Amino acid sequence: MLSSSAALAQSEGNTTSGSLAYPKPKKVDQTDTYHGTTVADPYRWLEDDRSAETAEWVKAENKVTFDYLGQIPYRQQLQNRLEQIYNYPKYSAPSRKGEWFYFSKNDGLQNQSVLYRQKGLDGKPELVIDPNKLSADGTTRLGAFSLSKDGKYAVVGLSKGGSDWQEYQVMDLATKQYLSDKIEWVKVSGAAWQGDGFYYSRYPKPEGSALAAKNENHQVYYHKLNTPQSADRLVYEDPQHPQRFHIASTTEDERFLLLSISDRGKGKDGNALLFVDSKSGQKTFTPVVEEITDFSYGVIDNDGDRLLILTNEKAPNSKVVAFSTKTKAFSPLIPEKPEPIAEGSVSAAGGKLFVEYSKDVTSKIEVFDYAGKRESDIQLPAIGSAGGFGGEKDDKFVFYTFTSFTFPPTIYRYDIATRKSTVFRAPEVDFKPTDYETKQVFYTSKDGTKVPMFLTYRKGMKLDGTNPTLLYGYGGFNISLPPAFSPLRIPFLEQGGVYAQANLRGGSEYGEKWHEQGMKLKKQNVFDDFIAAAEYLIAQKYTSPAKLAVQGGSNGGLLVGAVINQRPDLFRVAIPQVGVMDMLRFHKFTIGWNWIADYGSSDNADEFKALYAYSPIHNLKAGVNYPATLITTADHDDRVVPAHSFKYAATLQEVYKGQNPVLIRIDTNSGHGASNTKKNIETTADIYSFILWNMGVRNLKEIASK
């Protein structure tokens, strides 16, 4: 049997699966019956993230993977270039609380961004929280920072090792010391201040694995400062509907306590909305919308007795309405337009509403007053994405960030009175934007639907079918993929690569109708859109099947798994990251039941049939020439538990006997996304090394800094 290094050297990137000494995990006689169909699940034991057997399998798989990656001669060179280009100061837009402006900054390669504040825009920055000092490996992150109305206190939420679980503490901003308050088992929550305390959401302490156990009975509590968590007042729970989310918020003036209730586990895509008006002295919740349907309702702000609400009720592109808490009546404010309002993208500041519309997946910002009168557009510097604009009612100016594929995130200050934007802070990145170009194309999917896609590459590139191309997609959960800059993409582009980002159905690019066309029984449309994107890139000679890689994460990992089952001939390399790979059991872990609204459930006969038809694990077949595949996951991913990737890797390694490597890279102390900068860069270097090596690239091009 050849060692990993020998196999790599011998095959020049075309290692046979037999040449790599994959672990041979045990198989168990586990079957389940779904609506008369018996389904085998021989690697069920890999779902136990705490077992010694699983730990041994992870160790063995990682050895094979890292031995293989370690023999790629330019792996370290790529990592060095990624570190070099990532090493520049990165700032968040400031937010104001009284005389203080708060912002985060990463000096360049810090594992976590650091929170600062300064008095006035010309003040000297002072440290508030440095998460890098909270763990030896830099994997503890700041997940929440919520200031009280008077700015004296802040709720600080910390997450460890990439987990979605957070622990809340309270900081006294005068001394920057923590109070004794400590709140555990917080997940899917904000921190909503009212008076001398705040509302938050939590789950009961999980039984069994904290990283895999199903999360149920989401509860809302009120915590009063300087008291133990055991004294917190239960505000709302619904044990009769254990898979509902209950999320509390308060208006800026703290007059209204708001409660959003969703039930995606029952397949409903919208939410109910209730309120308590503290001014009236009421103690119980009054419904704005009592029943959960497929319509969403999100409060933007209050204007006296009125709640200003963003909704898609009878408006798939969304609109803004006003709800009178006195008369309980709705009235129109900003009507629906042909362009959808970007998901959740209406902000309030300075007595104005800033509405982000999506025009062919690029931002268009309009400003309205609280009566719904349109006042102006905000002129953006180019075609791209803008976000921010939020603030308080007495703000005279707001900040927003603009970005595009070759336009690093730049912070602008917008003066509300003069309606003028000026650059507040622009980064300096070690590349020449003018060397690259981005264009948007529209291609035709299987059913005739026109689908947009962005392409970014070095100017002067020849369309001869030889360009290494990375096709990325997501296609689900009403999430859009707008233009955005990532310094970690530049090293791939520098090697003559093409980055292609397809805006598939299932997202929010064209409003709720676009989302609905990629849900449940229509999920195949998403895969068809992605396959058509690959066919377009090949037909237009941007690339060829020998030079095309496909990548996606989470729901996008599912996407990659599904399309390489359906059209393995289109791709040379596949990178499914933290993917939902077992579509029959996803709802049995952590908050996986929350995805039923988008996917459906194997408990439903019709939905089972659709899920079973594309579930990545259940459609792997012997005799198929799968692309070179690098699966990535992490031990602290408690959103899409690593069992999905574990079982998928074990199954693919079992059935595939072809010429391409099939590897799984399992990170430690990391979660659904990389838990720190170092891990992010290391993972990206490994992905690019794997892609380029398996495309036949033997030496990297020399890159001159700007």
Side-chain angles (χ1 to χ4, degrees), residues 180-192:
S180 61
D181 311 52
K182 186 173 289 188
I183 297 171
E184 297 180 305
W185 305 114
V186 178
K187 186 184 278 194
V188 193
S189 178

Side-chain angles (χ1 to χ4, degrees), residues 296 298 300 310-312 315-320 334-347 354-366 368 380 384-389 477-483 507-512:
S296 62
I300 305 160
L310 174 66
T311 181
N312 61 2
N317 287 344
S318 297
K319 62 185 178 182
V320 179
I334 302 175
E336 181 186 26
K337 293 179 62 172
E339 299 82 19
I341 296 175
E343 181 70 9
S345 293
V346 180
S347 303
F354 297 84
V355 183
E356 179 193 351
Y357 292 97
S358 179
K359 175 68 174 175
D360 287 331
V361 207
T362 61
S363 293
K364 179 183 177 186
I365 311 297
E366 297 185 8
F368 296 80
L380 300 177
S385 307
F389 304 102
F477 294 93
N478 209 27
I479 292 172
S480 176
L481 288 184
S508 64
E509 284 86 345
Y510 292 101
E512 182 58 26

Side-chain angles (χ1 to χ4, degrees), residues 377-421:
D377 289 346
I378 294 180
Q379 299 302 313
L380 300 177
I383 293 175
S385 307
F389 304 102
E392 302 198 341
K393 279 193 171 72
D394 60 349
D395 281 337
K396 304 300 181 186
F397 54 86
V398 295
F399 295 95
Y400 66 92
T401 301
F402 179 84
T403 184
S404 194
F405 291 104
T406 57
F407 198 115
T410 300
I411 302 169
Y412 290 81
R413 171 177 164 168
Y414 177 78
D415 187 279
I416 295 172
T418 65
R419 302 177 181 176
K420 300 294 184 183
S421 293

Side-chain angles (χ1 to χ4, degrees), residues 140-320:
T140 295
R141 65 179 176 86
L142 180 62
F145 184 79
S146 177
L147 287 157
S148 60
K149 183 173 175 58
D150 58 14
K152 291 182 178 180
Y153 300 98
V155 176
V156 177
L158 298 176
S159 166
K160 297 179 180 179
S163 170
D164 282 345
W165 289 112
Q166 291 192 62
E167 181 180 280
Y168 280 1
Q169 296 174 268
V170 179
M171 177 179 282
D172 182 331
L173 272 305
T175 63
K176 297 183 198 167
Q177 298 298 309
Y178 288 104
L179 306 183
S180 61
D181 311 52
K182 186 173 289 188
I183 297 171
E184 297 180 305
W185 305 114
V186 178
K187 186 184 278 194
V188 193
S189 178
W193 285 91
Q194 192 175 66
D196 59 354
F198 56 90
Y199 300 92
Y200 67 94
S201 302
R202 60 159 292 183
Y203 285 104
K205 181 179 179 180
E207 296 181 7
S209 169
L211 296 175
K214 186 183 265 190
N215 302 144
E216 294 187 322
N217 195 18
H218 204 222
Q219 303 161 316
V220 177
Y221 282 88
Y222 180 79
H223 176 79
K224 186 176 180 180
L225 294 185
N226 294 301
T227 63
Q229 184 174 11
S230 58
D232 289 356
R233 174 169 57 89
L234 178 64
V235 174
Y236 194 91
E237 69 172 342
D238 186 357
Q240 300 304 311
H241 299 92
Q243 293 181 347
R244 289 184 172 182
F245 284 143
H246 306 113
I247 302 174
S249 60
T250 51
T251 51
E252 181 187 325
D253 60 7
E254 298 189 2
R255 174 179 170 181
F256 292 100
L257 166 63
L258 307 164
L259 180 65
S260 174
I261 305 174
S262 57
D263 199 355
R264 294 176 58 85
K266 295 298 183 184
K268 298 296 184 182
D269 207 33
N271 64 288
L273 181 63
L274 297 83
F275 72 92
V276 175
D277 182 358
S278 62
K279 185 177 179 180
S280 69
Q282 72 178 97
K283 301 295 184 182
T284 58
F285 284 101
T286 299
V288 176
V289 177
E290 191 165 14
E291 299 296 327
I292 301 172
T293 64
D294 284 328
F295 299 128
S296 62
Y297 308 86
V299 175
I300 305 160
D301 196 6
N302 71 302
D303 181 26
D305 295 333
R306 299 190 309 159
L307 298 177
L308 310 184
I309 297 173
L310 174 66
T311 181
N312 61 2
E313 181 182 3
K314 300 179 181 176
N317 287 344
S318 297
K319 62 185 178 182
V320 179

